Amino acid sequence: MKKMDEMELHIERTATRWAYRYSEAVLFFWCAGTALWGLKTGLSWQEVFERIQLPSFLLISQEAVHDAAVLICRAKAGDDAAESTLWKTIALLAVWGLVSVWLLGSILELVL
């Protein structure tokens, strides 16, 4: 494969940014439109949430993956602030995961 010159690289990055922002906008308007339509037609909050569960998950996970990729790339490039933020985020996610497992185990123990 040939090396990309600067113009091709710029075009590829611009196209990627536009595609990312487009999918972000579509998912946001899908969630907002469904929520407004559901409330207007008299659906309960639970029914509205069930209808927007998938697009909201996609929107949140897409943003999380984007932010993580940027943070990891900045840390690999030698940015000290990004590296410390990355380690803090990893520690926070580990603590959050352990607390979630503990809470889930406690709830299941109470039910059983």
Side-chain angles (χ1 to χ4, degrees), residues 16-32 55-56 58-67:
T16 302
R17 264 189 242 117
W18 277 88
Y20 172 74
R21 294 297 171 208
Y22 170 77
S23 63
E24 193 175 54
V26 167
L27 289 170
F28 175 77
F29 286 121
W30 184 2
C31 291
S56 62
L58 289 173
L59 181 65
I60 292 168
S61 62
Q62 174 184 347
E63 194 63 31
V65 168
H66 174 264
D67 291 347

Side-chain angles (χ1 to χ4, degrees), residues 11-82:
I11 291 170
E12 187 67 31
R13 285 182 179 166
T14 302
T16 302
R17 264 189 242 117
W18 277 88
Y20 172 74
R21 294 297 171 208
Y22 170 77
S23 63
E24 193 175 54
V26 167
L27 289 170
F28 175 77
F29 286 121
W30 184 2
C31 291
T34 303
L36 291 174
W37 174 80
L39 294 175
K40 183 180 178 186
T41 58
L43 295 176
S44 68
W45 277 107
Q46 182 174 353
E47 292 170 323
V48 169
F49 179 73
E50 287 172 1
R51 291 176 187 249
I52 64 170
Q53 197 169 7
L54 177 63
S56 62
F57 171 75
L58 289 173
L59 181 65
I60 292 168
S61 62
Q62 174 184 347
E63 194 63 31
V65 168
H66 174 264
D67 291 347
V70 168
L71 192 60
I72 290 169
C73 289
R74 285 180 53 207
K76 281 187 174 184
D79 187 356
D80 293 333

Side-chain angles (χ1 to χ4, degrees), residues 63-109:
E63 194 63 31
V65 168
H66 174 264
D67 291 347
V70 168
L71 192 60
I72 290 169
C73 289
R74 285 180 53 207
K76 281 187 174 184
D79 187 356
D80 293 333
E83 190 172 346
S84 68
T85 303
L86 180 63
W87 284 112
K88 288 176 188 175
T89 304
I90 290 171
L92 180 70
L93 288 174
V95 168
W96 180 77
L98 290 173
V99 169
S100 297
V101 168
W102 176 70
L103 284 175
L104 181 64
S106 298
I107 291 170
L108 288 175
E109 188 175 302

